[in-house]
Amino acid sequence: MARNIIAVVPAAGVGARMGADRPKQYLSIAGRTILEHSLAVLAKHPAISQIIVAVSPTDPYINTLNLSEPKIRLVHGGATRAESVLNGLEAIADKSAWVLVHDAARPCLRTTEIDLLLEVKDPQGAILAIPVVDTIKRADEQGRIAKTEDRRYLWQAQTPQFFPLQDLQRALSHALHLGLNITDEALAMEFAGQHPLLIAGRSDNIKITRPEDLALAAFYLTGETL
């Protein structure tokens, strides 16, 4: 039986590092907000049946967007990414579904990358990631080099991240109960004793974090600079 695939997009963050007048997901690239770009690639994938978007209850921007896509459903986000994702999971009726969790500020995802994840049948799930190519230094408390890491075993995590709904829901709930700092869904699964697969993605699947990322994303999306 075919799996029911549902996307969850946590979009309640404020993006303080951008220094903008609004959360970064509402900044515009090529005539659409970053969030609209991120949702569009999910919406056009035929295997994704629903998209749950978790937004702040006091978000003044979400209603200004054109979200006529029938797959999209809004829910209230939480104070942290993990809480927003968990709220999204709890809103899904089909507990046998698999979920694709995708960053609201990662607008350059391609359908071919989604396809790679959806091929995964491993019950521990999988994430998109790219092998680290730079030399990575670990610092000590004084800001000096403590050691150089072996980059052969280092990957930079991306999204989407793909897991059975019930397993991820339990993992996030347990991690939040313990007060753990959950920076992505795979970390919650790791704390639960799981070892998700790493699926090689593309380096242009960037997350908008700093102002200079806007021009790079514009180039990837349109071939033109801002």
PDB file of all heavy atoms in Angstrom, residues 172-212:
ATOM      1  N   LEU A 172      10.096  13.673  19.421  1.00  0.00           N
ATOM      2  CA  LEU A 172      10.044  15.095  19.750  1.00  0.00           C
ATOM      3  C   LEU A 172       9.420  15.329  21.115  1.00  0.00           C
ATOM      4  O   LEU A 172       9.907  16.144  21.907  1.00  0.00           O
ATOM      5  CB  LEU A 172       9.267  15.857  18.675  1.00  0.00           C
ATOM      6  CG  LEU A 172       9.981  16.120  17.358  1.00  0.00           C
ATOM      7  CD1 LEU A 172       9.016  16.697  16.334  1.00  0.00           C
ATOM      8  CD2 LEU A 172      11.170  17.057  17.552  1.00  0.00           C
ATOM      9  N   SER A 173       8.346  14.620  21.397  1.00  0.00           N
ATOM     10  CA  SER A 173       7.677  14.779  22.693  1.00  0.00           C
ATOM     11  C   SER A 173       8.621  14.418  23.835  1.00  0.00           C
ATOM     12  O   SER A 173       8.697  15.140  24.850  1.00  0.00           O
ATOM     13  CB  SER A 173       6.421  13.893  22.763  1.00  0.00           C
ATOM     14  OG  SER A 173       5.463  14.296  21.822  1.00  0.00           O
ATOM     15  N   HIS A 174       9.368  13.334  23.676  1.00  0.00           N
ATOM     16  CA  HIS A 174      10.293  12.898  24.724  1.00  0.00           C
ATOM     17  C   HIS A 174      11.435  13.898  24.887  1.00  0.00           C
ATOM     18  O   HIS A 174      11.812  14.247  26.019  1.00  0.00           O
ATOM     19  CB  HIS A 174      10.839  11.522  24.386  1.00  0.00           C
ATOM     20  CG  HIS A 174      11.722  10.944  25.447  1.00  0.00           C
ATOM     21  ND1 HIS A 174      11.276  10.654  26.726  1.00  0.00           N
ATOM     22  CD2 HIS A 174      13.041  10.597  25.427  1.00  0.00           C
ATOM     23  CE1 HIS A 174      12.266  10.168  27.442  1.00  0.00           C
ATOM     24  NE2 HIS A 174      13.352  10.121  26.676  1.00  0.00           N
ATOM     25  N   ALA A 175      11.975  14.376  23.768  1.00  0.00           N
ATOM     26  CA  ALA A 175      13.087  15.322  23.832  1.00  0.00           C
ATOM     27  C   ALA A 175      12.659  16.635  24.497  1.00  0.00           C
ATOM     28  O   ALA A 175      13.401  17.204  25.310  1.00  0.00           O
ATOM     29  CB  ALA A 175      13.617  15.590  22.423  1.00  0.00           C
ATOM     30  N   LEU A 176      11.473  17.111  24.164  1.00  0.00           N
ATOM     31  CA  LEU A 176      10.983  18.344  24.786  1.00  0.00           C
ATOM     32  C   LEU A 176      10.715  18.142  26.269  1.00  0.00           C
ATOM     33  O   LEU A 176      10.973  19.031  27.080  1.00  0.00           O
ATOM     34  CB  LEU A 176       9.714  18.813  24.071  1.00  0.00           C
ATOM     35  CG  LEU A 176       9.930  19.382  22.659  1.00  0.00           C
ATOM     36  CD1 LEU A 176       8.601  19.622  21.964  1.00  0.00           C
ATOM     37  CD2 LEU A 176      10.737  20.671  22.718  1.00  0.00           C
ATOM     38  N   HIS A 177      10.220  16.982  26.638  1.00  0.00           N
ATOM     39  CA  HIS A 177       9.980  16.672  28.051  1.00  0.00           C
ATOM     40  C   HIS A 177      11.283  16.705  28.847  1.00  0.00           C
ATOM     41  O   HIS A 177      11.309  17.146  30.007  1.00  0.00           O
ATOM     42  CB  HIS A 177       9.316  15.299  28.180  1.00  0.00           C
ATOM     43  CG  HIS A 177       9.114  14.855  29.595  1.00  0.00           C
ATOM     44  ND1 HIS A 177       8.152  15.412  30.428  1.00  0.00           N
ATOM     45  CD2 HIS A 177       9.762  13.919  30.342  1.00  0.00           C
ATOM     46  CE1 HIS A 177       8.218  14.838  31.622  1.00  0.00           C
ATOM     47  NE2 HIS A 177       9.173  13.924  31.583  1.00  0.00           N
ATOM     48  N   LEU A 178      12.373  16.287  28.204  1.00  0.00           N
ATOM     49  CA  LEU A 178      13.677  16.282  28.865  1.00  0.00           C
ATOM     50  C   LEU A 178      14.359  17.648  28.806  1.00  0.00           C
ATOM     51  O   LEU A 178      15.428  17.826  29.394  1.00  0.00           O
ATOM     52  CB  LEU A 178      14.586  15.235  28.223  1.00  0.00           C
ATOM     53  CG  LEU A 178      14.155  13.771  28.380  1.00  0.00           C
ATOM     54  CD1 LEU A 178      15.108  12.857  27.632  1.00  0.00           C
ATOM     55  CD2 LEU A 178      14.085  13.371  29.858  1.00  0.00           C
ATOM     56  N   GLY A 179      13.771  18.599  28.081  1.00  0.00           N
ATOM     57  CA  GLY A 179      14.361  19.921  27.962  1.00  0.00           C
ATOM     58  C   GLY A 179      15.567  19.979  27.047  1.00  0.00           C
ATOM     59  O   GLY A 179      16.416  20.868  27.189  1.00  0.00           O
ATOM     60  N   LEU A 180      15.662  19.056  26.097  1.00  0.00           N
ATOM     61  CA  LEU A 180      16.808  19.016  25.192  1.00  0.00           C
ATOM     62  C   LEU A 180      16.686  20.094  24.119  1.00  0.00           C
ATOM     63  O   LEU A 180      15.581  20.474  23.718  1.00  0.00           O
ATOM     64  CB  LEU A 180      16.902  17.639  24.537  1.00  0.00           C
ATOM     65  CG  LEU A 180      17.064  16.452  25.498  1.00  0.00           C
ATOM     66  CD1 LEU A 180      16.978  15.136  24.737  1.00  0.00           C
ATOM     67  CD2 LEU A 180      18.377  16.554  26.250  1.00  0.00           C
ATOM     68  N   ASN A 181      17.819  20.572  23.631  1.00  0.00           N
ATOM     69  CA  ASN A 181      17.845  21.570  22.560  1.00  0.00           C
ATOM     70  C   ASN A 181      17.818  20.838  21.223  1.00  0.00           C
ATOM     71  O   ASN A 181      18.832  20.290  20.783  1.00  0.00           O
ATOM     72  CB  ASN A 181      19.094  22.441  22.680  1.00  0.00           C
ATOM     73  CG  ASN A 181      19.158  23.497  21.592  1.00  0.00           C
ATOM     74  OD1 ASN A 181      18.128  23.924  21.067  1.00  0.00           O
ATOM     75  ND2 ASN A 181      20.361  23.922  21.240  1.00  0.00           N
ATOM     76  N   ILE A 182      16.676  20.845  20.571  1.00  0.00           N
ATOM     77  CA  ILE A 182      16.486  20.093  19.334  1.00  0.00           C
ATOM     78  C   ILE A 182      16.598  21.043  18.148  1.00  0.00           C
ATOM     79  O   ILE A 182      15.721  21.876  17.917  1.00  0.00           O
ATOM     80  CB  ILE A 182      15.114  19.384  19.330  1.00  0.00           C
ATOM     81  CG1 ILE A 182      15.006  18.436  20.513  1.00  0.00           C
ATOM     82  CG2 ILE A 182      14.904  18.638  18.019  1.00  0.00           C
ATOM     83  CD1 ILE A 182      16.048  17.341  20.533  1.00  0.00           C
ATOM     84  N   THR A 183      17.690  20.947  17.406  1.00  0.00           N
ATOM     85  CA  THR A 183      17.922  21.856  16.285  1.00  0.00           C
ATOM     86  C   THR A 183      17.390  21.320  14.958  1.00  0.00           C
ATOM     87  O   THR A 183      17.201  22.089  14.020  1.00  0.00           O
ATOM     88  CB  THR A 183      19.421  22.154  16.148  1.00  0.00           C
ATOM     89  OG1 THR A 183      20.144  20.919  16.053  1.00  0.00           O
ATOM     90  CG2 THR A 183      19.931  22.927  17.362  1.00  0.00           C
ATOM     91  N   ASP A 184      17.179  20.017  14.873  1.00  0.00           N
ATOM     92  CA  ASP A 184      16.482  19.457  13.717  1.00  0.00           C
ATOM     93  C   ASP A 184      15.840  18.149  14.139  1.00  0.00           C
ATOM     94  O   ASP A 184      16.091  17.616  15.226  1.00  0.00           O
ATOM     95  CB  ASP A 184      17.398  19.290  12.499  1.00  0.00           C
ATOM     96  CG  ASP A 184      18.404  18.146  12.618  1.00  0.00           C
ATOM     97  OD1 ASP A 184      18.576  17.610  13.742  1.00  0.00           O
ATOM     98  OD2 ASP A 184      19.024  17.802  11.604  1.00  0.00           O
ATOM     99  N   GLU A 185      14.967  17.628  13.279  1.00  0.00           N
ATOM    100  CA  GLU A 185      14.179  16.448  13.636  1.00  0.00           C
ATOM    101  C   GLU A 185      15.054  15.213  13.776  1.00  0.00           C
ATOM    102  O   GLU A 185      14.796  14.352  14.619  1.00  0.00           O
ATOM    103  CB  GLU A 185      13.089  16.217  12.576  1.00  0.00           C
ATOM    104  CG  GLU A 185      12.033  17.294  12.541  1.00  0.00           C
ATOM    105  CD  GLU A 185      12.576  18.664  12.138  1.00  0.00           C
ATOM    106  OE1 GLU A 185      13.280  18.726  11.093  1.00  0.00           O
ATOM    107  OE2 GLU A 185      12.296  19.660  12.856  1.00  0.00           O
ATOM    108  N   ALA A 186      16.111  15.123  12.966  1.00  0.00           N
ATOM    109  CA  ALA A 186      17.007  13.971  13.054  1.00  0.00           C
ATOM    110  C   ALA A 186      17.648  13.883  14.433  1.00  0.00           C
ATOM    111  O   ALA A 186      17.893  12.780  14.931  1.00  0.00           O
ATOM    112  CB  ALA A 186      18.083  14.058  11.976  1.00  0.00           C
ATOM    113  N   LEU A 187      17.908  15.024  15.063  1.00  0.00           N
ATOM    114  CA  LEU A 187      18.513  15.006  16.396  1.00  0.00           C
ATOM    115  C   LEU A 187      17.559  14.388  17.410  1.00  0.00           C
ATOM    116  O   LEU A 187      17.990  13.617  18.282  1.00  0.00           O
ATOM    117  CB  LEU A 187      18.906  16.421  16.822  1.00  0.00           C
ATOM    118  CG  LEU A 187      19.599  16.565  18.174  1.00  0.00           C
ATOM    119  CD1 LEU A 187      20.841  15.682  18.264  1.00  0.00           C
ATOM    120  CD2 LEU A 187      19.971  18.021  18.425  1.00  0.00           C
ATOM    121  N   ALA A 188      16.289  14.690  17.296  1.00  0.00           N
ATOM    122  CA  ALA A 188      15.310  14.058  18.185  1.00  0.00           C
ATOM    123  C   ALA A 188      15.291  12.548  17.969  1.00  0.00           C
ATOM    124  O   ALA A 188      15.218  11.770  18.944  1.00  0.00           O
ATOM    125  CB  ALA A 188      13.923  14.637  17.945  1.00  0.00           C
ATOM    126  N   MET A 189      15.373  12.113  16.720  1.00  0.00           N
ATOM    127  CA  MET A 189      15.405  10.685  16.426  1.00  0.00           C
ATOM    128  C   MET A 189      16.686  10.050  16.957  1.00  0.00           C
ATOM    129  O   MET A 189      16.659   8.901  17.455  1.00  0.00           O
ATOM    130  CB  MET A 189      15.283  10.461  14.926  1.00  0.00           C
ATOM    131  CG  MET A 189      13.969  10.950  14.326  1.00  0.00           C
ATOM    132  SD  MET A 189      12.526  10.061  14.939  1.00  0.00           S
ATOM    133  CE  MET A 189      12.639   8.566  13.940  1.00  0.00           C
ATOM    134  N   GLU A 190      17.797  10.775  16.894  1.00  0.00           N
ATOM    135  CA  GLU A 190      19.051  10.258  17.451  1.00  0.00           C
ATOM    136  C   GLU A 190      18.929  10.042  18.954  1.00  0.00           C
ATOM    137  O   GLU A 190      19.374   9.018  19.483  1.00  0.00           O
ATOM    138  CB  GLU A 190      20.188  11.224  17.151  1.00  0.00           C
ATOM    139  CG  GLU A 190      20.583  11.309  15.680  1.00  0.00           C
ATOM    140  CD  GLU A 190      21.533  12.465  15.428  1.00  0.00           C
ATOM    141  OE1 GLU A 190      22.577  12.533  16.110  1.00  0.00           O
ATOM    142  OE2 GLU A 190      21.225  13.312  14.570  1.00  0.00           O
ATOM    143  N   PHE A 191      18.342  11.005  19.657  1.00  0.00           N
ATOM    144  CA  PHE A 191      18.140  10.863  21.093  1.00  0.00           C
ATOM    145  C   PHE A 191      17.242   9.666  21.416  1.00  0.00           C
ATOM    146  O   PHE A 191      17.336   9.079  22.492  1.00  0.00           O
ATOM    147  CB  PHE A 191      17.531  12.131  21.688  1.00  0.00           C
ATOM    148  CG  PHE A 191      18.535  13.233  21.937  1.00  0.00           C
ATOM    149  CD1 PHE A 191      18.332  14.502  21.416  1.00  0.00           C
ATOM    150  CD2 PHE A 191      19.673  13.008  22.705  1.00  0.00           C
ATOM    151  CE1 PHE A 191      19.247  15.524  21.639  1.00  0.00           C
ATOM    152  CE2 PHE A 191      20.597  14.026  22.930  1.00  0.00           C
ATOM    153  CZ  PHE A 191      20.376  15.291  22.404  1.00  0.00           C
ATOM    154  N   ALA A 192      16.385   9.301  20.460  1.00  0.00           N
ATOM    155  CA  ALA A 192      15.499   8.152  20.644  1.00  0.00           C
ATOM    156  C   ALA A 192      16.167   6.843  20.239  1.00  0.00           C
ATOM    157  O   ALA A 192      15.527   5.790  20.244  1.00  0.00           O
ATOM    158  CB  ALA A 192      14.218   8.356  19.830  1.00  0.00           C
ATOM    159  N   GLY A 193      17.450   6.908  19.882  1.00  0.00           N
ATOM    160  CA  GLY A 193      18.194   5.700  19.549  1.00  0.00           C
ATOM    161  C   GLY A 193      18.150   5.299  18.093  1.00  0.00           C
ATOM    162  O   GLY A 193      18.591   4.200  17.735  1.00  0.00           O
ATOM    163  N   GLN A 194      17.648   6.184  17.229  1.00  0.00           N
ATOM    164  CA  GLN A 194      17.554   5.880  15.804  1.00  0.00           C
ATOM    165  C   GLN A 194      18.779   6.408  15.058  1.00  0.00           C
ATOM    166  O   GLN A 194      19.479   7.306  15.528  1.00  0.00           O
ATOM    167  CB  GLN A 194      16.285   6.505  15.215  1.00  0.00           C
ATOM    168  CG  GLN A 194      15.001   6.049  15.879  1.00  0.00           C
ATOM    169  CD  GLN A 194      14.755   4.568  15.701  1.00  0.00           C
ATOM    170  OE1 GLN A 194      14.705   4.068  14.574  1.00  0.00           O
ATOM    171  NE2 GLN A 194      14.608   3.834  16.800  1.00  0.00           N
ATOM    172  N   HIS A 195      19.007   5.848  13.876  1.00  0.00           N
ATOM    173  CA  HIS A 195      20.145   6.252  13.049  1.00  0.00           C
ATOM    174  C   HIS A 195      19.660   6.482  11.618  1.00  0.00           C
ATOM    175  O   HIS A 195      19.817   5.631  10.745  1.00  0.00           O
ATOM    176  CB  HIS A 195      21.238   5.183  13.086  1.00  0.00           C
ATOM    177  CG  HIS A 195      21.771   4.929  14.456  1.00  0.00           C
ATOM    178  ND1 HIS A 195      22.699   5.738  15.064  1.00  0.00           N
ATOM    179  CD2 HIS A 195      21.446   3.960  15.364  1.00  0.00           C
ATOM    180  CE1 HIS A 195      22.967   5.280  16.280  1.00  0.00           C
ATOM    181  NE2 HIS A 195      22.228   4.210  16.482  1.00  0.00           N
ATOM    182  N   PRO A 196      19.058   7.652  11.359  1.00  0.00           N
ATOM    183  CA  PRO A 196      18.517   7.927  10.024  1.00  0.00           C
ATOM    184  C   PRO A 196      19.599   7.901   8.946  1.00  0.00           C
ATOM    185  O   PRO A 196      20.775   8.172   9.202  1.00  0.00           O
ATOM    186  CB  PRO A 196      17.921   9.336  10.169  1.00  0.00           C
ATOM    187  CG  PRO A 196      17.689   9.499  11.646  1.00  0.00           C
ATOM    188  CD  PRO A 196      18.786   8.742  12.307  1.00  0.00           C
ATOM    189  N   LEU A 197      19.162   7.600   7.733  1.00  0.00           N
ATOM    190  CA  LEU A 197      20.070   7.588   6.591  1.00  0.00           C
ATOM    191  C   LEU A 197      20.408   9.009   6.152  1.00  0.00           C
ATOM    192  O   LEU A 197      19.604   9.935   6.295  1.00  0.00           O
ATOM    193  CB  LEU A 197      19.419   6.855   5.414  1.00  0.00           C
ATOM    194  CG  LEU A 197      19.196   5.355   5.563  1.00  0.00           C
ATOM    195  CD1 LEU A 197      18.358   4.846   4.399  1.00  0.00           C
ATOM    196  CD2 LEU A 197      20.524   4.622   5.622  1.00  0.00           C
ATOM    197  N   LEU A 198      21.596   9.166   5.616  1.00  0.00           N
ATOM    198  CA  LEU A 198      22.022  10.420   5.002  1.00  0.00           C
ATOM    199  C   LEU A 198      21.905  10.280   3.490  1.00  0.00           C
ATOM    200  O   LEU A 198      22.537   9.402   2.891  1.00  0.00           O
ATOM    201  CB  LEU A 198      23.464  10.743   5.391  1.00  0.00           C
ATOM    202  CG  LEU A 198      23.696  11.090   6.864  1.00  0.00           C
ATOM    203  CD1 LEU A 198      25.164  10.916   7.221  1.00  0.00           C
ATOM    204  CD2 LEU A 198      23.233  12.509   7.160  1.00  0.00           C
ATOM    205  N   ILE A 199      21.084  11.121   2.884  1.00  0.00           N
ATOM    206  CA  ILE A 199      20.877  11.090   1.438  1.00  0.00           C
ATOM    207  C   ILE A 199      21.528  12.332   0.835  1.00  0.00           C
ATOM    208  O   ILE A 199      21.197  13.461   1.213  1.00  0.00           O
ATOM    209  CB  ILE A 199      19.379  11.078   1.093  1.00  0.00           C
ATOM    210  CG1 ILE A 199      18.687   9.881   1.762  1.00  0.00           C
ATOM    211  CG2 ILE A 199      19.173  11.060  -0.409  1.00  0.00           C
ATOM    212  CD1 ILE A 199      19.202   8.529   1.342  1.00  0.00           C
ATOM    213  N   ALA A 200      22.473  12.134  -0.064  1.00  0.00           N
ATOM    214  CA  ALA A 200      23.224  13.250  -0.635  1.00  0.00           C
ATOM    215  C   ALA A 200      22.308  14.164  -1.437  1.00  0.00           C
ATOM    216  O   ALA A 200      21.678  13.743  -2.411  1.00  0.00           O
ATOM    217  CB  ALA A 200      24.351  12.734  -1.511  1.00  0.00           C
ATOM    218  N   GLY A 201      22.233  15.424  -0.991  1.00  0.00           N
ATOM    219  CA  GLY A 201      21.432  16.419  -1.684  1.00  0.00           C
ATOM    220  C   GLY A 201      22.300  17.319  -2.536  1.00  0.00           C
ATOM    221  O   GLY A 201      23.381  16.936  -2.980  1.00  0.00           O
ATOM    222  N   ARG A 202      21.832  18.550  -2.735  1.00  0.00           N
ATOM    223  CA  ARG A 202      22.523  19.524  -3.573  1.00  0.00           C
ATOM    224  C   ARG A 202      22.974  20.702  -2.725  1.00  0.00           C
ATOM    225  O   ARG A 202      22.282  21.125  -1.793  1.00  0.00           O
ATOM    226  CB  ARG A 202      21.600  20.026  -4.687  1.00  0.00           C
ATOM    227  CG  ARG A 202      21.173  18.970  -5.686  1.00  0.00           C
ATOM    228  CD  ARG A 202      20.153  19.563  -6.658  1.00  0.00           C
ATOM    229  NE  ARG A 202      20.660  20.768  -7.300  1.00  0.00           N
ATOM    230  CZ  ARG A 202      21.167  20.807  -8.529  1.00  0.00           C
ATOM    231  NH1 ARG A 202      21.242  19.696  -9.250  1.00  0.00           N
ATOM    232  NH2 ARG A 202      21.596  21.946  -9.051  1.00  0.00           N
ATOM    233  N   SER A 203      24.103  21.284  -3.091  1.00  0.00           N
ATOM    234  CA  SER A 203      24.620  22.412  -2.330  1.00  0.00           C
ATOM    235  C   SER A 203      23.791  23.679  -2.514  1.00  0.00           C
ATOM    236  O   SER A 203      23.886  24.613  -1.711  1.00  0.00           O
ATOM    237  CB  SER A 203      26.079  22.692  -2.711  1.00  0.00           C
ATOM    238  OG  SER A 203      26.179  23.008  -4.092  1.00  0.00           O
ATOM    239  N   ASP A 204      22.958  23.730  -3.573  1.00  0.00           N
ATOM    240  CA  ASP A 204      22.139  24.930  -3.775  1.00  0.00           C
ATOM    241  C   ASP A 204      20.834  24.904  -2.970  1.00  0.00           C
ATOM    242  O   ASP A 204      20.065  25.867  -3.007  1.00  0.00           O
ATOM    243  CB  ASP A 204      21.846  25.169  -5.261  1.00  0.00           C
ATOM    244  CG  ASP A 204      21.184  23.993  -5.955  1.00  0.00           C
ATOM    245  OD1 ASP A 204      20.859  22.996  -5.283  1.00  0.00           O
ATOM    246  OD2 ASP A 204      20.996  24.070  -7.187  1.00  0.00           O
ATOM    247  N   ASN A 205      20.604  23.851  -2.208  1.00  0.00           N
ATOM    248  CA  ASN A 205      19.436  23.792  -1.321  1.00  0.00           C
ATOM    249  C   ASN A 205      19.777  24.537  -0.033  1.00  0.00           C
ATOM    250  O   ASN A 205      19.851  23.964   1.053  1.00  0.00           O
ATOM    251  CB  ASN A 205      19.065  22.334  -1.047  1.00  0.00           C
ATOM    252  CG  ASN A 205      17.835  22.188  -0.169  1.00  0.00           C
ATOM    253  OD1 ASN A 205      17.032  23.113  -0.035  1.00  0.00           O
ATOM    254  ND2 ASN A 205      17.694  21.022   0.435  1.00  0.00           N
ATOM    255  N   ILE A 206      19.988  25.853  -0.155  1.00  0.00           N
ATOM    256  CA  ILE A 206      20.491  26.641   0.963  1.00  0.00           C
ATOM    257  C   ILE A 206      19.357  27.110   1.864  1.00  0.00           C
ATOM    258  O   ILE A 206      18.217  27.264   1.437  1.00  0.00           O
ATOM    259  CB  ILE A 206      21.301  27.860   0.479  1.00  0.00           C
ATOM    260  CG1 ILE A 206      20.412  28.835  -0.311  1.00  0.00           C
ATOM    261  CG2 ILE A 206      22.507  27.412  -0.340  1.00  0.00           C
ATOM    262  CD1 ILE A 206      21.073  30.163  -0.601  1.00  0.00           C
ATOM    263  N   LYS A 207      19.719  27.367   3.117  1.00  0.00           N
ATOM    264  CA  LYS A 207      18.788  27.965   4.073  1.00  0.00           C
ATOM    265  C   LYS A 207      19.124  29.442   4.200  1.00  0.00           C
ATOM    266  O   LYS A 207      20.277  29.812   4.422  1.00  0.00           O
ATOM    267  CB  LYS A 207      18.909  27.281   5.435  1.00  0.00           C
ATOM    268  CG  LYS A 207      17.897  27.782   6.461  1.00  0.00           C
ATOM    269  CD  LYS A 207      18.026  27.001   7.758  1.00  0.00           C
ATOM    270  CE  LYS A 207      16.995  27.462   8.776  1.00  0.00           C
ATOM    271  NZ  LYS A 207      17.111  26.702  10.051  1.00  0.00           N
ATOM    272  N   ILE A 208      18.111  30.283   4.040  1.00  0.00           N
ATOM    273  CA  ILE A 208      18.314  31.723   4.161  1.00  0.00           C
ATOM    274  C   ILE A 208      18.512  32.059   5.637  1.00  0.00           C
ATOM    275  O   ILE A 208      17.603  31.898   6.454  1.00  0.00           O
ATOM    276  CB  ILE A 208      17.120  32.511   3.598  1.00  0.00           C
ATOM    277  CG1 ILE A 208      16.806  32.066   2.175  1.00  0.00           C
ATOM    278  CG2 ILE A 208      17.396  34.009   3.672  1.00  0.00           C
ATOM    279  CD1 ILE A 208      17.899  32.304   1.184  1.00  0.00           C
ATOM    280  N   THR A 209      19.711  32.517   5.976  1.00  0.00           N
ATOM    281  CA  THR A 209      20.049  32.824   7.368  1.00  0.00           C
ATOM    282  C   THR A 209      20.576  34.239   7.516  1.00  0.00           C
ATOM    283  O   THR A 209      20.240  34.933   8.474  1.00  0.00           O
ATOM    284  CB  THR A 209      21.104  31.823   7.889  1.00  0.00           C
ATOM    285  OG1 THR A 209      20.606  30.486   7.713  1.00  0.00           O
ATOM    286  CG2 THR A 209      21.391  32.061   9.366  1.00  0.00           C
ATOM    287  N   ARG A 210      21.417  34.659   6.573  1.00  0.00           N
ATOM    288  CA  ARG A 210      22.050  35.976   6.628  1.00  0.00           C
ATOM    289  C   ARG A 210      21.679  36.779   5.383  1.00  0.00           C
ATOM    290  O   ARG A 210      21.278  36.207   4.363  1.00  0.00           O
ATOM    291  CB  ARG A 210      23.571  35.823   6.735  1.00  0.00           C
ATOM    292  CG  ARG A 210      24.008  35.098   8.001  1.00  0.00           C
ATOM    293  CD  ARG A 210      25.503  34.883   8.022  1.00  0.00           C
ATOM    294  NE  ARG A 210      25.935  34.236   9.253  1.00  0.00           N
ATOM    295  CZ  ARG A 210      25.925  32.925   9.465  1.00  0.00           C
ATOM    296  NH1 ARG A 210      25.517  32.118   8.495  1.00  0.00           N
ATOM    297  NH2 ARG A 210      26.327  32.415  10.604  1.00  0.00           N
ATOM    298  N   PRO A 211      21.804  38.115   5.435  1.00  0.00           N
ATOM    299  CA  PRO A 211      21.403  38.949   4.289  1.00  0.00           C
ATOM    300  C   PRO A 211      22.039  38.539   2.972  1.00  0.00           C
ATOM    301  O   PRO A 211      21.382  38.592   1.921  1.00  0.00           O
ATOM    302  CB  PRO A 211      21.846  40.355   4.719  1.00  0.00           C
ATOM    303  CG  PRO A 211      21.773  40.331   6.214  1.00  0.00           C
ATOM    304  CD  PRO A 211      22.200  38.940   6.607  1.00  0.00           C
ATOM    305  N   GLU A 212      23.304  38.113   2.997  1.00  0.00           N
ATOM    306  CA  GLU A 212      23.971  37.757   1.745  1.00  0.00           C
ATOM    307  C   GLU A 212      23.379  36.503   1.087  1.00  0.00           C
ATOM    308  O   GLU A 212      23.598  36.243  -0.101  1.00  0.00           O
ATOM    309  CB  GLU A 212      25.474  37.569   1.968  1.00  0.00           C
ATOM    310  CG  GLU A 212      25.836  36.509   2.990  1.00  0.00           C
ATOM    311  CD  GLU A 212      26.065  37.051   4.386  1.00  0.00           C
ATOM    312  OE1 GLU A 212      25.430  38.066   4.743  1.00  0.00           O
ATOM    313  OE2 GLU A 212      26.877  36.448   5.125  1.00  0.00           O
TER     314      GLU A 212
END
